[in-house]
Amino acid sequence: MTIRLATRASRLALWQTEHVASLLQRAGFATEIVPMQTTGDAVQDRSLAKIGSKGVFTEELELSLLRGETHLAVHSAKDVQSSIPRELELLAFLEREQVNDVVLSYHESFSLDKPGIVLGTSSTRRKAQLRRYYPDATTAEARGNLQTRLRKLEEGQFDALVLAYAGVHRMGYEHLVRYTLPADRFVPATGQGSIAVECAAALPEDLKSQLKAALDHPATHTCLLAERAFLHTMEGGCSIPSFALATLHGGELRLHGGLISLSGEEYVEEIQAVPAAGDAHALGVSVADAVLARGGREILASIREHRG
């Protein structure tokens, strides 16, 4: 049968979907790619926080699954909202790319320590982390696909861009990377670096098992279960500056999660670990509960009050 793949129409989204298609073809499936425009792609004059970030890059793709128009939807895992409808299922997570945030500039001599530099980013989390660790820098809204942001950078709207390494690497712009930000300070968003594949829960079980076998990376899936349980417990999304990174190493599943205020001044983090065969979901809930109990609730309340 031919597996129809729903995707955003950006170059990066299409690259990711073509990668999924190649894995399916290797497993014997024919594929068809179905590009779509999402709310997040259509609305470029407002920040994600202001357009209500819940599902802005996924909703249209998910509707196509529910209508039976497509079989799978391909997302950047960090764009998938913390709760998805019961009628849908996150079937697979592809092997994770390097998770770090990176700083891109056309100037080889660019320095993050230069006072007054303007850093472009559309991420609430990155803005808050930059305010904490580089208080002399200014952040500016940088919406649009990667090519649009790079054009704005070339035009001088920013001195540099702060982006996820995964997308930069997949699009071949590593030569513009001037800094790789350490993941223990600039802890990434839930799911950063992985591709998520979603389907309708009603898809036949034997087909789901074949598709999962072709696409899923079990270690990445375990890490994402922990991170997504953290995000769900925090009731977070793209508009909340939370962060979570799970790693599997030496027989241990470790989760580093936390929350930072919009100003970057207030910061709560928690690190916990369980055996690799332990309950990833329970680990995510435990880390989130600890963050909320140690000041996270107050930070969230402050953010919501600030936004009215």
Side-chain angles (χ1 to χ4, degrees):
M1 66 180 296
T2 299
I3 302 298
R4 289 170 57 82
L5 303 168
T7 177
R8 295 168 62 193
S10 72
R11 272 180 58 191
L12 177 56
L14 288 170
W15 184 99
Q16 293 177 166
T17 307
E18 286 162 3
H19 179 53
V20 169
S22 71
L23 294 174
L24 291 173
Q25 289 160 15
R26 199 178 303 166
F29 290 98
T31 60
E32 180 185 349
I33 293 174
V34 184
M36 301 177 184
Q37 186 177 57
T38 66
T39 302
D41 298 312
V43 181
Q44 294 289 328
D45 59 345
R46 282 171 282 163
S47 69
L48 292 175
K50 289 182 179 174
I51 61 177
S53 60
K54 194 172 182 180
V56 295
F57 292 121
T58 61
E59 186 176 12
E60 288 77 6
L61 279 60
E62 290 176 331
L63 284 173
S64 78
L65 294 175
L66 293 172
R67 292 175 185 141
E69 297 164 354
T70 57
H71 300 95
L72 299 176
V74 180
H75 311 290
S76 292
K78 65 184 175 62
D79 291 338
V80 180
Q81 57 194 316
S82 58
S83 297
I84 64 172
R86 241 180 326 182
E87 301 84 1
L88 297 172
E89 179 181 330
L90 288 172
L91 182 70
F93 293 102
L94 274 63
E95 185 172 5
R96 196 171 212 166
E97 175 75 81
Q98 180 179 321
V99 300
N100 301 70
D101 287 332
V102 291
V103 181
L104 275 66
S105 175
Y106 283 102
H107 302 290
E108 292 186 20
S109 59
F110 172 80
S111 172
L112 267 176
D113 296 316
K114 183 179 178 182
I117 55 171
V118 179
L119 302 172
T121 175
S122 61
S123 162
T124 305
R125 170 191 60 84
R126 291 186 186 120
K127 288 174 186 174
Q129 289 171 330
L130 289 165
R131 287 171 186 139
R132 181 174 183 83
Y133 296 115
Y134 292 97
D136 292 333
T138 300
T139 60
E141 189 67 28
R143 290 291 316 283
N145 62 38
L146 180 54
Q147 287 71 31
T148 298
R149 297 186 206 194
L150 286 169
R151 176 178 52 76
K152 292 178 179 179
L153 177 64
E154 200 167 14
E155 290 171 353
Q157 294 187 32
F158 328 107
D159 295 302
L161 285 170
V162 185
L163 300 164
Y165 172 81
V168 172
H169 172 63
R170 289 165 186 163
M171 290 288 94
Y173 291 109
E174 304 102 304
H175 62 286
L176 297 177
V177 173
R178 306 301 171 212
Y179 288 86
T180 297
L181 298 172
D184 59 344
R185 298 178 85 191
F186 287 81
V187 186
T190 292
Q192 184 159 305
S194 180
I195 298 168
V197 180
E198 189 177 23
C199 69
L203 208 63
E205 289 300 325
D206 60 336
L207 178 58
K208 282 197 281 190
S209 65
Q210 292 177 58
L211 295 170
K212 183 171 183 174
L215 299 172
D216 194 47
H217 186 254
T220 299
H221 202 134
T222 297
C223 290
L224 267 287
L225 286 177
E227 292 175 23
R228 288 185 54 77
F230 170 87
L231 186 67
H232 182 263
T233 307
M234 296 290 293
E235 297 182 357
C238 298
S239 62
I240 299 297
S242 66
F243 49 84
L245 178 62
T247 52
L248 264 174
H249 185 69
E252 180 180 80
L253 175 63
R254 178 180 182 269
L255 178 62
H256 181 179
L259 182 67
I260 185 170
S261 65
L262 297 177
S263 67
E265 294 175 3
E266 298 167 86
Y267 183 90
V268 183
E269 65 180 345
E270 175 78 6
I271 299 172
Q272 294 181 17
V274 295
D279 189 331
H281 183 274
L283 175 63
V285 172
S286 177
V287 170
D289 284 343
V291 169
L292 290 170
R294 290 176 37 231
R297 284 192 182 87
E298 290 75 14
I299 294 175
L300 285 175
S302 173
I303 290 170
R304 287 164 181 151
E305 183 180 349
H306 173 79
R307 289 181 175 154

